[in-house]
Amino acid sequence: MEKRECEFENLEYQRGFGNHFRSEALQGALPNGQNSPLHCPYGLYAEQLSGTAFTTPRKQNFRSWLYRIKPSVGHEPFQLYSSPSLNFAGVIDKDRFLTTPTQLRWKPLECPEHPRDFVHGLFTMCGAGSPFLRHGYMIHIYVANKSMEDCALANADGDFLIVPQQGRLWIKTEFGKLQVCPGEIVVLQLGMRFAIELPDATSRGYILEVFSGHFQLPDLGLIGANGLAEVGEFETPVAWFENKHCEAGFTIFHKFGGQMFSAKQEHSPFNVVAWHGNYAPYKYDLRKFCPVNTVLFDHADPSINTVLTVPSEKPGVAVVDFVVFPPRWSVAEHTFRPPYFHRNCMSEFMGLISGSYEAKAGGFLPGGASLHCCMTPHGVDATTYENTISATSQEPVKVSTNALAFMFESSLTPQVAISAYNSQQRDAEYHQCWSGLNSHFALES
Ligand SMILES: [Fe+2]
């Protein structure tokens, strides 16, 4: 394990977001110019991975060229894969999803008793849209205690934005290796093959799977050129490969149309010796996010904390936003400083990576989750409300000093997976947290 520790702790990364990266694990492995086999050094195969339609305007066009020992097509036919321990739901249907406007909250999912890797540890919470129509999203939680061995997963339905909450992830991809710790996020886009090892035995986290396109950095508008997530803080792996042959075969899991397929091949899927392009996985440390907020009175909307967004065709309306609530100073005067009560035309799924979230005195635990759908009222609990209005200080206060919470916010209203709704982790008493909100109404103030 010590050797592996070294292997993943001291990884190099290329910095930037959507850059055209060039990386080779063997000197001179990138061809000089043409992609023809006649020009590929070391006898490598050239293979393109297209993340957008060929004719997408150049600014939003994502693709990479991979130079590999054998092409990815060298596998047996795909077969539908089924296993009693497979727990994700890939498409919205009435047998597996229900509709409810009720405020929902879950305690953290417990670690499995039996060995379970990332693929078998996916548990679907809610979603909207369809992978067939390439529009919508699904939200999952994963809990796993076993590394993926001699296998890889590729998602042909959408991008995975993974938010580990407990346990590091050692991720092998066709583009290189990444270590992702709680507090960081990783984005593994449509079609990329990857395998996740778990050095800390158990790992839990959240996944936003988006069918509608790829994540972008939000425009900063009047904020200016600085603030929020800095382009240079995103990290993409450098080329790495293994020239491994296994007669028992490597398994390629292929998520397609909301179902899991598998295929066997004799060579490692991680055989890309060099690659170049702007379509590659990346990670980001949420602790590097530079929050911006009101400095005199009242509130900025939570959109001020957007890290990444997948825009819809409507200006200013996201299919999904990924929003973080990091430690920050609260300085507004004559203001109820915690989040306000509200009803939102967007739907909000929240998770907690660590600490205590500022809007809840209890019940919202690290690894847990909440869902407030379109126009469902929500806000701080009664205890937080009473504690806040009884405090007289208007001095600056550091909030969420030990906490890291986030939100997946969508313009598409989700349905809830029945298995998540019926799970023991759902807090059936969640609504009680608002029952103590007494009237403070007085005719004379
Ligand atoms: Fe909200």
Side-chain angles (χ1 to χ4, degrees):
M1 182 59 90
E2 229 169 68
K3 182 173 172 281
R4 302 301 313 279
E5 194 83 36
C6 233
E7 228 178 277
F8 279 86
E9 287 287 351
N10 301 317
L11 291 172
E12 266 180 66
Y13 296 102
Q14 306 174 86
R15 285 171 173 262
F17 189 91
N19 297 10
H20 187 111
F21 297 106
R22 292 176 63 82
S23 186
E24 52 188 23
L26 288 178
Q27 199 175 6
L30 280 171
N32 189 8
Q34 297 180 33
N35 283 315
S36 152
L38 300 173
H39 293 82
C40 283
Y42 299 103
L44 296 169
Y45 283 84
E47 181 179 290
Q48 183 175 217
L49 182 64
S50 297
T52 47
F54 298 141
T55 50
T56 299
R58 188 176 283 235
K59 239 175 115 181
Q60 295 94 36
N61 197 308
F62 293 102
R63 65 94 173 87
S64 284
W65 278 95
L66 282 56
Y67 302 96
R68 57 197 320 156
I69 296 167
K70 285 186 80 174
S72 59
V73 71
H75 61 80
E76 299 291 319
F78 286 117
Q79 308 285 340
L80 184 61
Y81 177 80
S82 66
S83 160
S85 55
L86 217 51
N87 274 311
F88 78 94
V91 289
I92 311 285
D93 59 42
K94 64 177 176 18
D95 293 334
R96 284 183 294 180
F97 285 81
L98 56 78
T99 305
T100 176
T102 299
Q103 300 88 349
L104 299 176
R105 186 162 72 185
W106 289 269
K107 295 170 192 147
L109 293 189
E110 282 166 12
C111 295
E113 286 173 11
H114 305 293
R116 186 166 289 188
D117 66 11
F118 179 83
V119 174
H120 298 84
L122 295 169
F123 182 79
T124 303
M125 302 300 287
C126 61
S130 161
F132 290 104
L133 302 177
R134 307 290 295 273
H135 185 48
Y137 65 98
M138 207 69 90
I139 294 172
H140 317 274
I141 287 179
Y142 69 89
V143 194
N145 56 5
K146 179 179 177 285
S147 294
M148 289 171 67
E149 285 168 10
D150 293 332
C151 66
L153 170 64
N155 187 356
D157 290 335
D159 288 11
F160 273 153
L161 184 156
I162 304 176
V163 186
Q165 182 268 322
Q166 180 187 328
R168 290 169 296 169
L169 304 177
W170 285 354
I171 308 178
K172 294 193 285 190
T173 77
E174 293 172 283
F175 297 80
K177 293 190 281 192
L178 301 112
Q179 173 172 258
V180 186
C181 304
E184 296 180 314
I185 59 161
V186 62
V187 176
L188 302 161
Q189 292 99 315
L190 185 74
M192 295 173 181
R193 290 178 175 177
F194 64 91
I196 296 185
E197 294 180 31
L198 307 177
D200 303 322
T202 300
S203 184
R204 179 173 52 212
Y206 309 84
I207 300 173
L208 173 57
E209 178 187 17
V210 185
F211 310 138
S212 305
H214 303 298
F215 289 94
Q216 303 176 7
L217 287 166
D219 283 331
L220 294 180
L222 296 179
I223 294 174
N226 301 289
L228 311 191
E230 171 63 40
V231 171
E233 301 291 1
F234 287 82
E235 296 178 306
T236 284
V238 296
W240 157 86
F241 70 98
E242 56 186 19
N243 186 14
K244 218 166 131 185
H245 181 89
C246 173
E247 272 177 31
F250 292 90
T251 301
I252 306 297
F253 289 108
H254 193 73
K255 186 173 169 296
F256 176 80
Q259 292 185 292
M260 193 63 81
F261 292 81
S262 70
K264 286 279 185 188
Q265 64 182 44
E266 288 187 356
H267 59 277
S268 167
F270 305 114
N271 63 354
V272 177
V273 179
W275 62 271
H276 72 86
N278 60 356
Y279 190 56
Y282 55 86
K283 69 168 193 164
Y284 175 72
D285 187 341
L286 296 171
R287 290 158 293 204
K288 294 179 175 170
F289 186 82
C290 177
V292 172
N293 218 325
T294 181
V295 291
L296 189 57
F297 64 89
D298 236 330
H299 278 267
D301 289 318
S303 51
I304 196 69
N305 290 320
T306 301
V307 183
L308 290 166
T309 183
V310 178
S312 74
E313 287 165 1
K314 295 179 196 163
V317 179
V319 174
V320 281
D321 283 328
F322 172 62
V323 179
V324 69
F325 302 101
R328 62 205 181 278
W329 285 95
S330 182
V331 300
E333 298 172 308
H334 313 297
T335 294
F336 181 78
R337 287 175 173 175
Y340 42 75
F341 292 105
H342 68 133
R343 290 173 293 164
N344 187 356
C345 67
M346 307 277 276
S347 295
E348 306 177 11
F349 178 96
M350 283 197 65
L352 186 61
I353 299 163
S354 58
S356 309
Y357 177 54
E358 66 212 68
K360 295 287 189 290
F364 184 45
L365 303 170
S370 67
L371 177 64
H372 304 122
C373 282
C374 172
M375 290 303 162
T376 293
H378 58 284
V380 297
D381 58 20
T383 308
T384 304
Y385 186 83
E386 294 297 337
N387 288 346
T388 305
I389 61 169
S390 64
T392 52
S393 172
Q394 293 293 327
E395 296 299 310
V397 174
K398 190 98 177 260
V399 293
S400 295
T401 44
N402 65 345
L404 200 52
F406 70 88
M407 175 164 68
F408 300 146
E409 186 181 41
S410 177
S411 57
L412 307 180
T413 304
Q415 291 182 281
V416 181
I418 291 172
S419 51
Y421 187 84
N422 288 338
S423 75
Q424 288 187 340
Q425 276 67 37
R426 187 168 71 80
D427 178 1
E429 303 303 315
Y430 179 32
H431 61 285
Q432 297 284 3
C433 78
W434 294 291
S435 62
L437 287 170
N438 298 319
S439 170
H440 293 271
F441 180 69
L443 280 176
E444 290 176 18
S445 62

